[in-house]
Amino acid sequence: MINVLVADDHALIRSGLAGMLGAQPDITIVGAVADGAEAVRHAGTLRPDVVVMDIRMPKMDGIEATRRIRLAPDPPQVLVLTTFDLDEYVYEALRAGAGGFLLKDAPPGQLAEAVRTVAAGESLLAPAVTKRLITRFLRVPPSPTAAARAAADRLTERELEVLRLVARGLSNQELAERLHLSDATVKTHVSRVLTKLDLRDRVQAVVYAYEHGLIVPGEDD
C-alpha cells in the first residue's frame, strides 16, 4: 500500500483529492492538512510514502514545506499540484526536492498514477508541460559556466545528448525512439548521467541543465 498525505488549504479540494486517491485499491490516505506547516509536522509523524502538496497555502507555502520535508532523514516523496497558469513557483518547488508536478485539473486516474510513479522513486515530468514550464520560468537563461563545462567534460557525448533531451522533458521511451536505442540502454545512460553529476533524479537533471546553461529555454531541439 502507498500511504499518502494530502496538503491543500481548500477544504473541498482537499476532501476531493483524499476521496479520489483513497478509492484506489493500493492507496491509503493517512492524513489531510490545510497548510504547509501541518504538512511538515504530519510528514514527520505519519511517515507517508507520498505527500500530495499544493503550492499556495497559509502559514507556510508548499515550496518551503517541500524543502523541509525533503531535508528530513528518509523523507517521503512530494508530488506538487499546481494550476500552472496561476502558480509561478513550480520551478522553485522542483529545486526544493519535489519529485514532480501535476495539474490540478488532471483526471483521477492520472493523479493516482502520478502518486504511484513518485512513490516508486521515479520523477514525474509531463513532457509538454515541462517544456512550457521551463521556458516560462527561466526567462533569462544563464551562459555556460566553468562548472557546466566541467560537468560536460565528465559526460560522454551521448550522455550529454541524453541530458539535454531529458531537460526538454522527453521520457525514456521517447529518448529511445529519438536516439534509436533500446529502453535498457537509455536507462543506463540516464543512470550514468545522474551518477556522474551527483543528481538525485530526472527533476534535478532538468534543473541542472538549465541552471548551467547546457540548454536554452525555448531553443529548438
Side-chain angles (χ1 to χ4, degrees):
M1 294 294 290
I2 302 172
N3 294 324
V4 173
L5 171 66
V6 175
D8 196 295
D9 62 322
H10 294 285
L12 186 59
I13 294 177
R14 187 169 65 247
S15 176
L17 291 172
M20 286 189 295
L21 292 172
Q24 300 297 314
D26 57 340
I27 295 175
T28 297
I29 302 299
V30 296
V33 298
D35 62 68
E38 288 186 0
V40 173
R41 184 168 60 253
H42 282 76
T45 58
L46 299 176
R47 306 300 297 167
D49 300 302
V50 176
V51 179
V52 176
M53 182 82 72
D54 186 24
I55 289 182
R56 296 185 176 187
M57 293 185 290
K59 297 183 181 178
M60 182 186 297
D61 63 34
I63 297 172
E64 182 60 25
T66 296
R67 183 177 294 110
R68 296 191 185 191
I69 287 172
R70 293 296 296 167
L71 285 175
D74 191 24
Q77 298 294 326
V78 177
L79 173 65
V80 170
L81 293 184
T82 173
T83 52
F84 188 70
D85 286 328
L86 297 179
D87 292 331
E88 299 187 355
Y89 310 106
V90 180
Y91 178 69
E92 290 301 324
L94 298 181
R95 292 188 66 190
F101 61 90
L102 193 68
L103 301 184
K104 278 190 173 181
D105 60 359
Q110 188 176 348
L111 174 61
E113 191 56 38
V115 167
R116 296 184 185 104
T117 297
V118 297
E122 301 177 17
S123 302
L124 181 73
L125 290 173
V129 179
T130 301
K131 189 169 184 178
R132 182 179 168 196
L133 173 81
I134 297 297
T135 300
R136 177 174 179 177
F137 295 120
L138 287 183
R139 292 187 174 90
V140 183
S143 301
T145 62
R149 289 190 290 271
D153 289 343
R154 295 201 296 272
L155 302 178
T156 66
E157 184 176 346
R158 176 64 85 184
E159 289 165 353
L160 187 57
E161 183 178 20
V162 166
L163 172 59
R164 284 173 170 147
L165 291 175
V166 166
R168 295 203 178 280
L170 271 68
S171 65
N172 281 356
Q173 182 178 354
E174 290 168 331
L175 282 169
E177 293 173 356
R178 173 75 67 89
L179 302 176
H180 306 291
L181 300 173
S182 69
D183 289 344
T185 300
V186 166
K187 289 180 181 178
T188 297
H189 283 313
V190 172
S191 178
R192 287 175 178 168
V193 168
L194 298 180
T195 298
K196 287 184 177 182
L197 299 182
D198 193 26
L199 302 173
R200 183 182 61 247
D201 52 33
R202 293 170 73 99
V203 173
Q204 284 198 342
V206 172
V207 173
Y208 183 97
Y210 279 92
E211 285 190 332
H212 290 79
L214 295 177
I215 191 170
V216 177
E219 185 180 67
D220 291 336
D221 293 350

